[in-house]
Amino acid sequence: MNEKLAWLLAVILGGVFLLPMAFDVLLGIALLAVLIQYSELHAPVLRVLKDPLYLCALALLLYLSASVLWSANISPKGVAQLWLRMLFVMVFVLGLAVAHQRTSITLLRACQVVAIAALLCALLSLILFYMYPPADSRLEGPFRLENPGRIGRMLAVALLFAITLFQLERGRWRWLAALSFVVCSMALINTGTRSAWLAAVFGIFCWLLVSWHPKLNKAVAVAGVGSVLLALLLYVMTYHPELSAQLFPRGDSFRMSIWQANLRDILDGHVWFGWGQLVEHRVEMGGYLFRGTHNMFLAMLAAGGLPALVMFCVVLGWTGLRLVRHAGGAAATLGLVLLIAGVAGFLFNGDRIIDKVNFVWFVVWVPLGFAIGLSQQSTLDDSN
């Protein structure tokens, strides 16, 4: 049973790289059936359902789902899709937390499946990229990843799974993890997605820092050096436009203008409760029409107002604190670096957290599941 649950969770995560979106429904139903069918899972399920962190995340999901009540121009199809995805997220976090508190094989299977699926996806995308070069010279992926931004962000998190697999395994699996890391890195660079580059760099940097186990003064020194390098980059972008144009040929992709326009619309009567999760808000910039805020924190404020933003930040911070308490373990390390990579990526991208299996699942719901599972496991160990 433990092996079956671990494989099912791994396939849900790995399937995003190779399977059409329609398979998500089937996998979600299968996961729910496993949690209901096996009586030995009922006790750990109840423990997770009583966990305050899970309840906090559940409150956020329910609040955003309830925002359909004040969303303009809603449709029955949109409401049904939102609530089904919300249920899938709840069941996935529940399943991951239950599986990890029962056996550590869950992490290993997830890393194995994601590394293989991402490797195959990256190879296929690179072959098509060089055989049929796109007009914008940016690599795209198969099925739901047929967008440079989507596949870029997914490859960024795949690198972290490959590193973890390299750490956990020996022999052939280590070679496969290394190959997956190299090929996914090549594909990631060719996507031209800067938010994905930022997420990958922050994730890898934090993984190295956590694995190094430095003393506080050394950690502060490293963080200071990183801040100086970031300040130098901002200086180059601000005061050397020619060099900035070479490093970032697409400029800021209207990010500043998009944020300002959306924030202006939010402040115009939508601060407290937002305009609802289902509203497709668009702003026009430079002759282009942009959907979404391109910043997850701003998206939370837009969708559900201050309550949604506060709950979202609480869930992220609380998850991070729990993972830090268990620092040193592979699951806690992976969950923490995924969370950090997600926060970095969310600064320049993000639309909604209740969505199909995608980047948000890897950087919010996977760390949350590991954090709850580790806490439950620690509580059981203490009681025993």
Side-chain angles (χ1 to χ4, degrees), residues 70-325:
W70 59 86
S71 297
N73 301 320
I74 63 172
S75 66
K77 179 181 178 181
V79 174
Q81 186 180 64
L82 177 66
W83 277 82
L84 285 174
R85 287 177 174 174
M86 184 267 291
L87 291 172
F88 191 13
V89 170
M90 290 169 51
V91 172
F92 173 79
V93 174
L94 180 64
L96 184 58
V98 168
H100 190 70
Q101 67 177 287
R102 292 179 61 86
T103 174
S104 60
I105 197 69
T106 306
L107 173 65
L108 182 60
R109 292 290 177 262
C111 291
Q112 290 173 340
V113 173
V114 169
I116 294 174
L119 172 60
L120 295 175
C121 176
L123 280 173
L124 175 61
S125 301
L126 284 169
I127 291 172
L128 294 176
F129 177 74
Y130 287 110
M131 288 182 62
Y132 309 100
D136 59 357
S137 300
R138 299 181 66 190
L139 179 141
E140 298 180 357
F143 299 118
R144 69 183 85 181
L145 301 180
E146 55 180 358
N147 175 284
R150 291 172 191 164
I151 188 173
R153 287 182 288 275
M154 290 310 307
L155 291 172
V157 295
L159 296 180
L160 303 177
F161 278 82
I163 293 174
T164 305
L165 180 61
F166 186 86
Q167 180 188 36
L168 293 175
E169 284 283 33
R170 298 292 183 270
R172 295 177 181 177
W173 280 110
R174 265 203 163 185
W175 286 103
L176 187 142
L179 178 62
S180 179
F181 183 88
V182 171
V183 175
C184 288
S185 297
M186 294 172 57
L188 172 60
I189 292 172
N190 282 291
T191 63
T193 304
R194 289 163 295 181
S195 63
W197 296 349
L198 181 66
V201 169
F202 264 76
I204 294 172
F205 174 78
C206 292
W207 186 88
L208 293 172
L209 189 62
V210 173
S211 301
W212 177 33
H213 301 302
K215 293 182 179 179
L216 181 59
N217 58 342
K218 292 183 178 180
V220 171
V222 172
V225 172
S227 300
V228 171
L229 293 176
L230 180 59
L232 288 175
L233 180 60
L234 294 175
Y235 172 80
V236 168
M237 293 179 62
T238 305
Y239 295 101
H240 296 273
E242 294 182 358
L243 182 57
S244 178
Q246 294 179 357
L247 293 173
F248 306 100
R250 300 197 316 277
D252 69 348
S253 298
F254 299 100
R255 285 296 192 276
M256 292 297 295
S257 299
I258 293 171
W259 298 338
Q260 291 173 0
N262 276 280
L263 183 58
R264 184 170 56 250
D265 293 342
I266 293 170
L267 294 177
D268 187 20
H270 299 284
V271 175
W272 290 108
F273 300 105
W275 46 60
Q277 182 72 59
L278 290 180
V279 171
E280 299 285 349
H281 190 72
R282 289 176 168 84
V283 295
E284 184 178 355
M285 292 293 160
Y288 298 95
L289 198 61
F290 293 95
R291 182 184 68 83
T293 60
H294 291 73
N295 178 293
M296 185 60 79
F297 300 98
L298 195 57
M300 287 296 98
L301 184 62
L306 286 175
L309 179 60
V310 170
M311 284 190 285
F312 182 59
C313 291
V314 168
V315 169
L316 293 181
W318 199 346
T319 300
L321 286 175
R322 285 205 180 181
L323 292 171
V324 167
R325 289 175 190 161

Side-chain angles (χ1 to χ4, degrees), residues 7 63 108 111 137 161 257 269 302 307 361 366 376-377 382:
W7 275 113
Y63 175 75
L108 182 60
C111 291
S137 300
F161 278 82
S257 299
W361 278 57
V366 169
Q376 294 294 331
Q377 188 180 54
D382 291 342

